[in-house]
Amino acid sequence: MTTGVIPGGHNPEPRPTGERMPQQRHQPGQASPHVETRTGSSVITARAAATFEPVGRSVATARAFVRDTLQGWGFADVVDDAVVLTSELVTNAVVHAGTHADVLCLRTDDGVRIEVADRYPEREVPLQGSAVNMGSPDREGGRGLQLCAALAARWGVEYTSTHKNVWFQLDLPERPVGTRAAGPSLPADLLPLADGRVRVAVVQIDRKGSISAWNEDAEEIFGHSAAAVTGKPLTDLAAWPHTPGTGTGIAEALQLSRWEGSYGIRGADGRVTSVYASHLRVRDTGGEPSTVCLLVRDHERAVLQTPLRLPASDAGVTSDGQNSDPFEVFIGSPAPDDLDGLLQRTVERARDMLDGDSAFLLLATDDETELEVRASTGLPSARQRFARVPVEAGPGRYGSARMPAVHDDLAAVPGAVPLLTGTGMRSVVTVPLKVEGRLTGSLGVAAEAPGRYSNEEALRLQFAADRIALAVESARLGELERLRRGSLSFLVEASDLLAGTLDRDQTLALMAQMTVPTLATWCAVYTIADQASDPYLSYVLHEDEELIDGIKSLLAKVPPPDPVPTPGARVWTAPGEHAHQAALRSSMRSLGLTGGPTRQVSSGIGPTLATASAVGGETVVLPLVARNRVIGMLTLGKPTDEHFRQEILELAEDLSRRAALALDNARLYSERTAISQALQRSLLPPGTPHIEGMEVEVIYRAAGEGNEVGGDFYDVFPIADNAYGFAIGDVCGTGPNAAAVTGLARHALRLLAREGLSGPAVLERLNSAILDEGARSRFLTLLYGEMRPQEDGSAEMKVVCAGHPLPLRLRQDGTVEAAAEPQPLLGVIEDLELYEQTVTLDPGDVLLCVTDGVTERREGTRMLGDDGLADVLTTCTGLTAGAVAARIMRAVERFASDAPSDDMAILAMRVPGLQKD
């Protein structure tokens, strides 16, 4: 891949546009409104380019290139759409068209433009309104232009004689800035409440996101000294919700020109302080950008929060007597540009409007059977957020969702509003949020005193709910669309990662790392070896590594969840209950309430409480089902009092299906590899025997990943007293089929030789056995011999060379000569007339036997050959048999840079003599 980045500059001249191809059936006078050509009106402020090779892995590399480029430019809002479109277009180029892909990213004042060019200009361009079929969305290819039409603001296709260039434009969403306003004079008892002196933490963040300034109020609020935090990323201290595809991350928020909202800061004591923040992006005289953050405690947000344009009591009438938008009167202007901000401001205004102690807002799920808590004030929001309650009426159900309802005293009707159970609220008024008669949510205001609300308050709240319902539904649909696009990008990258490995342990680690912290705070993976086995805890991960051991120990004490094949997430309460009981027992022991010795709280109870807090929220289990069998469970958890969003659970379910198949593929691969290795080892000789008066060394290399045995084979075995057989052969081909003939030949040689047959008789009968295999038979080259060490220190060799590379004899004086004559190979003709030759090795002589994988080693047009092997052997005078074999193998490996493509076997036999120092 080649890349280039060019900051600044103006839009280059448009590329030459070739003639429209004949197959593009464009009707005269018929416009194609979504297909445009590039214009030179926009100012290019930066560009980045890269070229990707026509291989499958280039698609993932291109996605990473576009993602990194756009995030570096601060375009986080359009990253997911750009990644999805780039993935499809690059796939079309490098996979389907089989050409290089040129990717160009252009940054303009109002958005980003991405161009993908391939070297296959004959591809047809489907035009809107024409008869050309765009193809099915479910097919593997052909979706790139469909996605461009669906996601991009503008797109087009350009042709030259050598290239086809597809481009698309993604516009940045408009971000309305706040409007300054003055509030009316208020009595003292109506002013916002602050705890004594209001402290405003002033924190400056450099362009890398690290803290460069930290004032005294920041030290007082959070407990960190300036020296301790300077240089650290703000993300190390900020507690920011992780929800893929929705909202804005803290890194993106720090890049915006202005941002205002709530999040948390971890103090020196480990506790999170809720703060209200106002961010302003500035630059110094040298042009270096930074972000100034003003932070106050959340309940003192009035110090920083942009004031409303009009007080609520104005009821839609401006100071000059003209009517204003009722929505702006209730929510304020400008309205928040994100769903969470809109909902939070809604509940706060509803609470103030009815002078309540708390308020809450729930949104309906897609099937409208449940309501999900999305915003609240005056309630333990961490516990309530994303909690779900049923809609339909019934005992313990949230039965007042579809109609306005007033409850004078919740103590008299337990469970009427489950959300408020245990909160101390006594009276509540709830109203539905409806759009075109369809239930989209519910808004409620509650008070600690009974009998606070009547039908009049219900009508006022319903009037306000009717004004905001459409805006809430629009923002909700926008959030769902962003989540869908983010989920698509997430699943694309997850599928690539899971498909890239067949290692079981690595697959388990990837499963956990993809879910934490994107989908959950912690994750555990259980695996099931077979239907008769219990689930086994195989992997545990938490976003805080210090808590992993505690969670692993806790889960080991809890019975695993039942392997139910029913799809979907189901709640698992056992870890939270067990953690709560363990923390309670530890607390009682530390206080001496159990009759045992009192322990120090810091040393005994700390880890237990941390673990209990980590797993104290909602825990769900998703089955890992592959090939109609449950092979494990994916367990996701939240910390204390937190719940999962339905959209996150659906995304986790999609991920679990992909992960289950990847895990089962890894299991099958491991099993088949183990079986293959066991079978291959059975074809190898059990070992080389010790031969008195002889040195014997063997080196064997099978071609192909995971192969231990191929078409080449060797054997050295005893025949009778002081007589040993040796063989080295090469079956036609490589791999398992050749290995099957290898096993036949090696075992037949041993049996026939031990029957007392001569070398030619042994090979003739082996030839008949190979021919009896019929269509499965393969021809075989074989060098077979018998060695007998002599009393005078020499060794007698009787050799038959049936079509095999000739054995080479190395004498003490360094001369090398062939030790046998060539004869017909085996497995081709029935009647063979073979003969054996006798060779006597003197002390210090070496007999070298190799397969053709050694002599046919190639580097381009060069080949090692028999002469090259003889030259290497000439340098081995005086070396031991092991040293000779090792030197031959090194020479073969160094002859070419590529890995060997053929099996290789080297058998070196030497009569001991004088050795070189």
Side-chain angles (χ1 to χ4, degrees):
M1 181 187 76
T2 58
T3 62
V5 178
I6 310 172
H10 295 280
N11 191 24
E13 292 297 324
R15 297 175 180 171
T17 303
E19 295 294 330
R20 192 178 297 275
M21 303 302 295
Q23 63 265 35
Q24 293 179 245
R25 298 183 292 274
H26 187 66
Q27 300 295 333
Q30 180 182 15
S32 186
H34 295 286
V35 182
E36 304 175 0
T37 57
R38 180 170 49 162
T39 64
S41 58
S42 299
V43 176
I44 304 300
T45 58
R47 72 178 67 181
T51 299
F52 301 94
E53 299 177 354
V55 293
R57 64 176 181 273
S58 294
V59 179
T61 309
R63 285 198 298 267
F65 165 71
V66 172
R67 181 180 296 278
D68 293 343
T69 299
L70 267 60
Q71 288 179 341
W73 289 346
F75 288 175
D77 293 305
V78 297
V79 163
D80 289 329
D81 287 353
V83 167
V84 170
L85 293 177
T86 302
S87 179
E88 286 294 330
L89 296 178
V90 174
T91 299
N92 290 342
V94 304
V95 176
H96 301 302
T99 77
H100 285 73
D102 301 324
V103 179
L104 174 64
C105 301
L106 301 175
R107 183 180 69 185
T108 63
D109 296 334
D110 54 356
V112 62
R113 175 193 180 95
I114 297 179
E115 302 180 2
V116 179
D118 61 40
R119 321 289 172 84
Y120 191 67
E122 291 82 7
R123 301 293 291 274
E124 186 174 348
V125 182
L127 299 177
Q128 283 201 344
S130 69
V132 178
N133 181 16
M134 293 281 279
S136 169
D138 297 326
R139 60 183 292 190
E140 180 182 0
R143 297 173 298 188
L145 299 183
Q146 284 181 314
L147 286 175
C148 287
L151 302 181
R154 294 179 297 280
W155 64 278
V157 184
E158 300 173 358
Y159 279 101
T160 69
S161 59
T162 59
H163 287 74
K164 175 170 73 69
N165 184 48
V166 182
W167 62 269
F168 59 88
Q169 175 87 22
L170 297 174
D171 294 339
L172 292 178
E174 296 184 0
R175 300 185 179 277
V177 296
T179 302
R180 298 183 62 86
S185 300
L186 295 176
D189 58 349
L190 296 181
L191 296 176
L193 181 64
D195 298 336
R197 174 191 168 187
V198 176
R199 296 185 179 273
V200 180
V202 181
V203 182
Q204 192 158 3
I205 311 299
D206 61 22
R207 70 184 308 162
K208 297 180 179 179
S210 300
I211 299 172
S212 59
W214 185 269
N215 73 341
E216 293 181 359
D217 281 358
E219 294 183 5
E220 182 66 26
I221 295 174
F222 308 119
H224 298 289
S225 65
V229 298
T230 300
K232 289 186 176 181
L234 182 61
T235 53
D236 289 355
L237 303 180
W240 198 278
H242 294 280
T243 305
T246 63
T248 303
I250 186 169
E252 290 80 8
L254 292 173
Q255 298 296 321
L256 301 178
S257 61
R258 185 179 295 276
W259 185 89
E260 187 176 313
S262 300
Y263 53 91
I265 297 292
R266 294 183 181 89
D269 58 359
R271 297 183 177 181
V272 175
T273 300
S274 297
V275 298
Y276 192 84
S278 176
H279 298 176
L280 178 65
R281 189 77 165 162
V282 299
R283 60 187 175 94
D284 59 20
T285 55
E288 182 71 12
S290 62
T291 302
V292 178
C293 306
L294 305 181
L295 313 174
V296 296
R297 293 182 176 91
D298 192 62
H299 65 275
E300 297 173 339
R301 62 170 55 196
V303 176
L304 299 180
Q305 189 171 22
T306 302
L308 302 178
R309 177 178 296 175
L310 291 173
S313 59
D314 289 350
V317 181
T318 60
S319 58
D320 57 3
Q322 297 181 355
N323 293 331
S324 62
D325 184 359
F327 173 75
E328 289 190 359
V329 173
F330 185 74
I331 296 299
S333 180
D337 57 357
D338 63 300
L339 178 60
D340 289 337
L342 174 61
L343 299 182
Q344 189 62 37
R345 190 175 293 186
T346 297
V347 295
E348 292 171 358
R349 295 295 294 125
R351 178 198 59 187
D352 297 342
M353 183 178 71
L354 298 187
D355 193 23
D357 297 310
S358 63
F360 53 89
L361 191 148
L362 304 91
L363 292 184
T365 56
D366 291 340
D367 56 7
E368 299 180 8
T369 60
E370 289 185 313
L371 294 171
E372 188 177 58
V373 179
R374 292 300 304 271
S376 63
T377 182
L379 297 173
S381 57
R383 177 168 64 87
Q384 305 294 345
R385 185 170 173 79
F386 300 128
R388 293 180 295 279
V389 292
V391 172
E392 299 302 330
R397 303 288 183 125
Y398 193 81
S400 58
R402 300 187 185 276
M403 296 291 291
V406 177
H407 295 276
D408 290 330
D409 193 351
L410 293 176
V413 190
V417 184
L419 180 64
L420 300 179
T421 301
T423 61
M425 300 297 159
R426 296 286 297 276
S427 56
V428 61
V429 54
T430 61
V431 296
L433 275 70
K434 293 184 178 181
V435 176
E436 297 180 351
R438 181 173 57 86
L439 178 69
T440 61
S442 176
L443 177 63
V445 178
E448 295 178 353
R452 284 280 299 273
Y453 303 115
S454 63
N455 290 339
E456 181 180 351
E457 282 81 7
L459 291 176
R460 290 179 59 197
L461 189 61
Q462 183 67 71
F463 180 81
D466 292 341
R467 297 299 184 275
I468 66 168
L470 186 59
V472 170
E473 178 67 1
S474 176
R476 185 181 76 91
L477 294 177
E479 181 189 73
L480 288 177
E481 180 65 14
R482 291 193 300 272
L483 180 61
R484 184 190 65 81
R485 295 180 181 180
S487 299
L488 179 60
S489 176
F490 172 78
L491 291 174
V492 166
E493 297 191 16
S495 298
D496 271 358
L497 290 173
L498 290 171
T501 179
L502 286 172
D503 182 83
R504 175 183 176 276
D505 294 337
Q506 188 174 2
T507 302
L508 290 171
L510 284 174
M511 290 169 57
Q513 291 167 6
M514 286 185 292
T515 57
V516 177
T518 305
L519 305 181
T521 306
W522 64 272
C523 166
V525 183
Y526 290 85
T527 56
I528 303 175
D530 52 61
Q531 293 182 351
S533 302
D534 293 329
Y536 175 74
L537 182 62
S538 299
Y539 202 91
V540 176
L541 183 65
H542 191 281
E543 63 181 3
D544 185 350
E545 294 182 357
E546 296 181 356
L547 297 177
I548 294 177
D549 291 338
I551 297 177
K552 188 181 300 183
S553 176
L554 171 70
L555 294 177
K557 301 174 184 177
V558 178
D562 296 330
V564 178
T566 305
R570 53 192 173 91
V571 177
W572 186 31
T573 60
E577 294 173 353
H578 190 88
H580 176 74
Q581 294 172 2
L584 181 60
R585 289 193 298 268
S586 297
S587 300
M588 295 179 67
R589 283 197 301 268
S590 67
L591 298 174
L593 300 179
T594 61
T598 303
R599 301 180 181 177
Q600 292 294 329
V601 173
S602 59
S603 61
I605 195 175
T608 303
L609 291 180
T611 302
S613 176
V615 302
E618 188 175 40
T619 302
V620 296
V621 178
L622 297 104
L624 298 174
V625 181
R627 299 174 176 91
N628 298 321
R629 187 175 71 88
V630 180
I631 64 171
M633 284 88 70
L634 178 64
T635 304
L636 306 179
K638 288 281 191 179
T640 299
D641 294 335
E642 288 196 18
H643 299 269
F644 286 98
R645 293 188 58 182
Q646 187 63 33
E647 293 84 356
I648 295 298
L649 294 180
E650 293 172 357
L651 179 58
E653 185 177 356
D654 284 340
L655 176 64
S656 68
R657 287 195 291 267
R658 290 165 169 79
L661 188 59
L663 184 61
D664 199 47
N665 288 339
R667 177 189 62 82
L668 292 174
Y669 178 78
S670 299
E671 289 180 356
R672 293 182 181 180
T673 300
I675 293 172
S676 174
Q677 291 174 346
L679 293 175
Q680 290 184 67
R681 292 190 187 102
S682 70
L683 301 177
L684 292 173
T688 303
H690 174 71
I691 303 175
E692 189 69 29
M694 289 291 296
E695 296 176 2
V696 179
E697 183 66 25
V698 177
I699 296 179
Y700 183 81
R701 298 284 189 273
E705 183 179 357
N707 290 334
E708 296 187 30
V709 177
D712 291 5
F713 69 96
Y714 70 92
D715 202 358
V716 180
F717 54 91
I719 298 176
D721 293 341
N722 203 38
Y724 297 87
F726 65 90
I728 183 170
D730 184 1
V731 179
C732 173
T734 60
N737 293 328
V741 181
T742 294
L744 169 65
R746 194 179 68 78
H747 289 95
L749 280 176
R750 287 196 172 212
L751 292 173
L752 295 172
R754 287 169 178 171
E755 291 294 324
L757 300 176
S758 64
V762 169
L763 267 61
E764 288 168 3
R765 296 195 180 188
L766 175 60
N767 180 63
S768 298
I770 294 175
L771 292 175
D772 288 343
E773 290 291 304
R776 297 182 299 175
S777 67
R778 290 168 174 258
F779 66 80
L780 166 68
T781 69
L782 180 63
L783 172 65
Y784 173 74
E786 297 178 0
M787 73 175 80
R788 289 180 173 83
Q790 304 297 310
E791 293 182 357
D792 61 358
S794 63
E796 181 184 80
M797 303 282 190
K798 294 184 177 181
V799 182
V800 181
C801 185
H804 198 76
L806 300 179
L808 298 179
R809 176 181 180 178
L810 171 66
R811 296 182 181 274
Q812 276 282 65
D813 59 3
T815 59
V816 175
E817 61 185 6
E821 296 177 355
Q823 300 184 59
L825 51 78
L826 309 181
V828 178
I829 59 178
E830 293 184 1
D831 296 329
L832 288 179
E833 294 184 1
L834 302 175
Y835 59 91
E836 65 182 8
Q837 297 173 271
T838 302
V839 180
T840 300
L841 297 183
D842 297 325
D845 287 358
V846 176
L847 186 69
L848 177 67
C849 310
V850 301
T851 58
D852 60 5
V854 174
T855 56
E856 295 180 1
R857 177 75 162 142
R858 295 180 180 274
E859 173 70 17
T861 59
R862 297 187 307 119
M863 186 172 71
L864 179 62
D866 296 333
D867 294 338
L869 178 63
D871 292 341
V872 177
L873 184 59
T874 303
T875 66
C876 298
T877 305
L879 299 181
T880 64
V884 171
R887 179 169 293 186
I888 297 297
M889 179 55 72
R890 285 197 302 271
V892 172
E893 291 174 342
R894 293 173 180 174
F895 187 80
S897 57
D898 296 336
S901 59
D902 195 5
D903 305 327
M904 293 188 295
I906 300 174
L907 171 61
M909 295 171 287
R910 178 178 182 272
V911 179
L914 295 177
Q915 301 181 13
K916 288 185 177 181
D917 295 334

